[in-house]
Amino acid sequence: MNILVDAFGGDNSPIEIISGVVNALNESKNLFNVVLLGDEIILKQLLSKYHYPLGRLLIIDTKEVITNDDHPVDAIRGKKNSSIVVGLKNLNSEKEAMAFISAGSTGAVLAGAVLLLKRIEGINRPALAPLLPTSETESVVLIDCGANSECKPEMLHQFAKMGDAYAKVALSLVNPRIGLLNNGAEEKKGNELTQNTYKILREDHSINFIGNAEGRDILSGNFDVIVADGFTGNIALKSCEGTALMMFSQIKYGIQNGGIRAKIGYLLLKPVFRKLKDTADYSSKGGAVLLGLQKLVIKVHGSAKSQTIKAAIFQAASLVEKNLISKVAECMERIDKK
Amino acid sequence: MNILVDAFGGDNSPIEIISGVVNALNESKNLFNVVLLGDEIILKQLLSKYHYPLGRLLIIDTKEVITNDDHPVDAIRGKKNSSIVVGLKNLNSEKEAMAFISAGSTGAVLAGAVLLLKRIEGINRPALAPLLPTSETESVVLIDCGANSECKPEMLHQFAKMGDAYAKVALSLVNPRIGLLNNGAEEKKGNELTQNTYKILREDHSINFIGNAEGRDILSGNFDVIVADGFTGNIALKSCEGTALMMFSQIKYGIQNGGIRAKIGYLLLKPVFRKLKDTADYSSKGGAVLLGLQKLVIKVHGSAKSQTIKAAIFQAASLVEKNLISKVAECMERIDKK
């Protein structure tokens, strides 16, 4: 199995990307190889400082870089020799290539995946699905969190099916509890999109749809999959992130301005805060999977460091091993046969 | 000035409502009277236990109660003798009646306000606007957070104007920074609604529109007014609430399971946690204003207790004193003249 890694995407590339790749190779058995995409001269020079199993790291030389300032579709069409375009083309054509990981422009990775990869039959559009922590040990799948700003009910139905398959594989759940993100718990609540989606989800007995989920239910632990259009999912995800940041910063401010008493209190509670921070920092545990494609694409945070890249590589290897793509395809067959 | 209070709405009515009203009367000068709406026999019996300035508390006897299980529009049309319907009708017709406060069904209060009150000229639909804390001392206006699930760009434009007027009055700001809630900061981001709204807001030089706000910007303190359709605003608001709840519960769990060390740490940090909780518990400081009507309507949380009711009464009195309604109307005239 080859896992392709974009060495020139994100705020900390290529140094942190390389470090993450090397650590992943050193800490794993011979399960996968990594193919790094980027400027070969720069990469070889940086890699010369590391020890790692040489035979398991390949480089594909790409000279162009897509940035966040590039228009996604134009960049995919124009920068043919970029790490994202070459990586996705390799993923599409090579049998051994099983996953592509990038910390680069989300828009470009999405546009590239739509333009260059094959979709699973029955899927209109791929959807981005991060795992958010609901407790120290449990998570919820939020799908879609930004790939599709405009959605139709049948797309949300597909997201629900894909989220179901993903929760079964990634969270080892037998019968994931699926909720529709809505502005109220009652059946009749919502806008046209959610009202019509509700009716479709209720009728699909191949999934365990348990009803509407409000914003405050996302992290409650009462749902395993939250289905939303990409616009709403993105707002919800970032609202959660923003609140966590605001609370951490208020606690920090309180401690800094609370005198010696608060500082001693902080030292005593440090393990609690560290655990909370670890739980909240979900993006250090890997990336958001782009579901609906015939190959695996993982988008990690633009600020990803070594630890996140390593985690995303292990995440990719595990999802490939567990046949995520076939499981999603099987789910979609069940839709078609209805 | 008469402030009307629905004594039979919310989880803790009528006991907590009455207690809040009595405290508000006892702690204020002769600025306002309170008109309680509810079953007169029950109210008189409960009030007999309190001391308060008798001449400043009137009762309007209403026998019906609208619950959360009632269909909002049907309830407004059918339960003519309910506290919400009688209260809003009184607010509409009586010159002295300046504000209506309810902890009852949000849907019914909204439906009642739309059906029974006059709108400010130029406003298509009223919008619900809570103040969310961005720090211990500062807040942001989120408008709309649930009154309108389906919106057009011109409605969001009206929300921006109303939010601007409200931020000037309620937060004493000269030139509030207005943001459009969107799934990315760049101008071209968003769905059809936000893309079209962006163009309108950018052209309106009577407001200080500073661009798109992402979910994580809501509580950042970088914006004074966040404009959204009611569906998205509701999801964002509740996502923030849910995250705060989840973090408090994780901290609590950590302390309870952290042994004596964590418990001492907690005691030392108690003032910091108390302040954080006070800041986060924004609904104890009053309610969400329903903007766009010719009279003031304030919706407080269904779980409101005495403290919240008292705060909402002071909030109402202050907004009336500062001529909020005229200020909103002036803003709308500036739209019409463009």
Side-chain angles (χ1 to χ4, degrees):
Chain A
M1 170 195 333
N2 286 348
I3 296 175
L4 312 176
V5 178
D6 174 8
F8 281 79
D11 311 337
N12 306 306
S13 69
I15 310 269
E16 292 285 335
I17 314 279
I18 287 171
S19 158
V21 166
V22 166
N23 290 339
L25 288 171
N26 285 331
E27 292 175 30
S28 64
K29 298 250 169 73
N30 202 7
L31 176 64
F32 56 82
N33 299 326
V34 170
V35 179
L36 263 180
L37 295 121
D39 187 307
E40 193 169 12
I41 298 167
I42 299 173
L43 292 177
K44 280 197 165 156
Q45 196 182 350
L46 290 167
L47 281 165
S48 65
K49 294 170 200 149
Y50 292 94
H51 289 281
Y52 58 92
L54 292 172
R56 289 175 59 204
L57 180 58
L58 310 167
I59 294 176
I60 297 182
D61 189 28
T62 62
K63 293 294 182 205
E64 288 178 290
V65 175
I66 294 178
T67 71
N68 279 327
D69 297 329
D70 286 317
H71 182 277
V73 174
D74 294 350
I76 295 299
R77 294 209 168 114
K79 293 188 170 175
K80 301 277 186 214
N81 193 241
S82 62
S83 47
I84 292 177
V85 172
V86 175
L88 289 171
K89 279 188 174 167
N90 185 290
L91 183 68
N92 181 54
S93 59
E94 298 301 314
K95 206 167 167 243
E96 273 299 292
M98 300 307 280
F100 175 74
I101 297 168
S102 179
S105 152
T106 307
V109 172
L110 291 172
V114 168
L115 293 169
L116 303 172
L117 296 179
K118 295 186 193 76
R119 285 193 289 281
I120 290 172
E121 219 181 299
I123 302 285
N124 292 58
R125 296 262 312 176
L128 206 52
L131 289 171
L132 308 181
T134 58
S135 74
E136 236 181 276
T137 51
E138 290 175 340
S139 298
V140 61
V141 176
L142 177 61
I143 180 169
D144 174 27
C145 85
N148 309 282
S149 292
E150 306 278 359
C151 289
K152 297 212 155 69
E154 49 270 35
M155 289 169 68
L156 266 64
H157 185 202
Q158 293 164 15
F159 299 169
K161 305 284 274 190
M162 296 197 288
D164 182 55
Y166 185 46
K168 284 172 177 162
V169 171
L171 306 177
S172 306
L173 296 172
V174 176
N175 198 22
R177 297 159 300 169
I178 296 177
L180 175 65
L181 190 57
N182 211 338
N183 65 345
E186 304 84 356
E187 183 175 342
K188 295 275 164 66
K189 282 277 181 170
N191 55 19
E192 210 185 313
L193 175 64
T194 55
Q195 283 176 2
N196 289 330
T197 303
Y198 189 100
K199 291 175 203 155
I200 298 178
L201 295 182
R202 194 186 46 193
E203 296 303 316
D204 183 349
H205 300 296
S206 74
I207 55 171
N208 178 24
F209 176 59
I210 62 168
N212 287 323
E214 296 192 77
R216 69 169 75 92
D217 296 317
I218 299 173
L219 303 182
S220 68
N222 297 328
F223 293 84
D224 303 307
V225 179
I226 304 272
V227 177
D229 67 274
F231 180 86
T232 309
N234 182 280
I235 302 280
L237 173 69
K238 291 179 182 163
S239 297
C240 294
E241 286 178 0
T243 306
L245 278 176
M246 186 263 210
M247 285 182 68
F248 279 123
S249 99
Q250 293 233 10
I251 291 172
K252 196 173 162 188
Y253 179 87
I255 291 165
Q256 281 172 343
N257 294 277
I260 189 77
R261 171 184 167 161
K263 280 177 193 72
I264 296 171
Y266 167 68
L267 289 175
L268 293 172
L269 274 184
K270 215 169 170 181
V272 174
F273 287 128
R274 197 181 301 125
K275 217 173 257 181
L276 184 67
K277 209 149 193 169
D278 277 355
T279 303
D281 185 17
Y282 69 96
S283 64
S284 70
K285 282 146 207 145
V289 170
L290 190 58
L291 289 169
L293 303 161
Q294 291 191 12
K295 288 279 176 81
L296 184 61
V297 175
I298 295 183
K299 173 67 185 72
V300 294
H301 210 279
S303 62
K305 295 202 168 180
S306 169
Q307 156 75 14
T308 304
I309 300 298
K310 186 183 83 177
I313 292 171
F314 286 133
Q315 181 188 13
S318 162
L319 292 172
V320 171
E321 274 248 287
K322 293 177 179 168
N323 290 314
L324 172 65
I325 306 291
S326 330
K327 298 270 165 71
V328 173
E330 281 165 28
C331 268
M332 297 316 297
E333 281 169 22
R334 284 204 293 276
I335 281 192
D336 290 337
K337 282 179 192 157
K338 258 206 328 180
Chain B
M1 168 195 333
N2 285 348
I3 296 175
L4 313 176
V5 178
D6 174 6
F8 281 80
D11 311 336
N12 306 306
S13 69
I15 310 269
E16 292 285 334
I17 314 279
I18 288 172
S19 157
V21 165
V22 166
N23 290 339
L25 289 171
N26 285 332
E27 292 174 30
S28 64
K29 297 250 169 74
N30 201 8
L31 176 64
F32 56 82
N33 299 326
V34 170
V35 179
L36 262 179
L37 295 121
D39 186 305
E40 193 170 14
I41 297 167
I42 298 173
L43 291 176
K44 280 196 166 156
Q45 197 184 346
L46 290 166
L47 282 164
S48 66
K49 295 167 200 152
Y50 292 95
H51 289 279
Y52 58 92
L54 291 173
R56 289 175 57 203
L57 180 59
L58 311 168
I59 293 176
I60 296 181
D61 188 29
T62 63
K63 293 296 183 203
E64 288 177 290
V65 174
I66 295 178
T67 72
N68 279 326
D69 297 328
D70 286 317
H71 182 277
V73 174
D74 293 350
I76 295 300
R77 293 206 170 119
K79 293 188 169 175
K80 301 277 186 215
N81 193 241
S82 61
S83 48
I84 293 177
V85 172
V86 175
L88 289 170
K89 280 188 173 167
N90 185 291
L91 183 67
N92 181 54
S93 59
E94 299 300 314
K95 205 167 169 241
E96 274 300 290
M98 299 308 280
F100 175 72
I101 297 168
S102 178
S105 153
T106 307
V109 172
L110 291 173
V114 168
L115 294 169
L116 303 171
L117 296 179
K118 296 186 192 78
R119 284 194 291 280
I120 289 172
E121 219 181 300
I123 301 285
N124 292 55
R125 295 262 311 175
L128 207 51
L131 289 171
L132 307 182
T134 58
S135 74
E136 235 180 277
T137 51
E138 289 174 345
S139 298
V140 61
V141 176
L142 177 61
I143 179 169
D144 174 25
C145 84
N148 308 282
S149 292
E150 306 278 359
C151 289
K152 296 211 155 69
E154 49 272 33
M155 288 168 68
L156 266 65
H157 185 202
Q158 293 164 15
F159 298 169
K161 305 283 276 189
M162 295 197 289
D164 181 57
Y166 185 46
K168 283 172 178 163
V169 171
L171 306 177
S172 305
L173 297 172
V174 177
N175 198 23
R177 298 158 300 170
I178 296 176
L180 175 65
L181 190 57
N182 211 339
N183 64 344
E186 304 84 357
E187 181 174 343
K188 295 274 162 68
K189 283 276 183 171
N191 54 19
E192 209 186 313
L193 175 64
T194 55
Q195 284 177 1
N196 289 330
T197 303
Y198 190 101
K199 291 175 203 154
I200 298 177
L201 294 182
R202 194 186 47 193
E203 297 302 315
D204 183 350
H205 300 296
S206 74
I207 55 172
N208 178 23
F209 175 59
I210 62 168
N212 287 323
E214 296 192 77
R216 70 170 74 91
D217 297 317
I218 299 173
L219 303 181
S220 67
N222 297 329
F223 293 85
D224 303 307
V225 179
I226 303 272
V227 177
D229 67 274
F231 180 86
T232 308
N234 184 280
I235 302 281
L237 173 69
K238 290 179 182 163
S239 297
C240 295
E241 285 179 359
T243 306
L245 279 176
M246 186 263 211
M247 287 183 67
F248 279 123
S249 99
Q250 293 234 9
I251 292 172
K252 197 174 160 189
Y253 178 87
I255 291 165
Q256 281 171 344
N257 293 278
I260 189 79
R261 173 185 165 159
K263 281 177 192 73
I264 296 171
Y266 167 68
L267 288 176
L268 293 172
L269 274 184
K270 215 169 170 182
V272 174
F273 287 128
R274 197 182 299 125
K275 219 174 256 180
L276 183 67
K277 209 150 193 168
D278 277 355
T279 304
D281 185 17
Y282 69 96
S283 64
S284 69
K285 283 147 204 143
V289 170
L290 190 59
L291 289 170
L293 303 161
Q294 291 193 10
K295 287 281 176 82
L296 184 61
V297 175
I298 295 182
K299 173 64 184 72
V300 295
H301 210 278
S303 61
K305 294 201 168 181
S306 168
Q307 157 75 14
T308 305
I309 301 298
K310 185 183 83 178
I313 293 171
F314 286 134
Q315 181 188 13
S318 162
L319 292 173
V320 170
E321 274 248 287
K322 292 175 178 170
N323 290 314
L324 172 65
I325 305 293
S326 330
K327 298 271 164 70
V328 173
E330 281 165 28
C331 268
M332 297 317 298
E333 283 169 20
R334 284 204 293 274
I335 281 192
D336 290 337
K337 281 176 192 158
K338 256 206 329 179

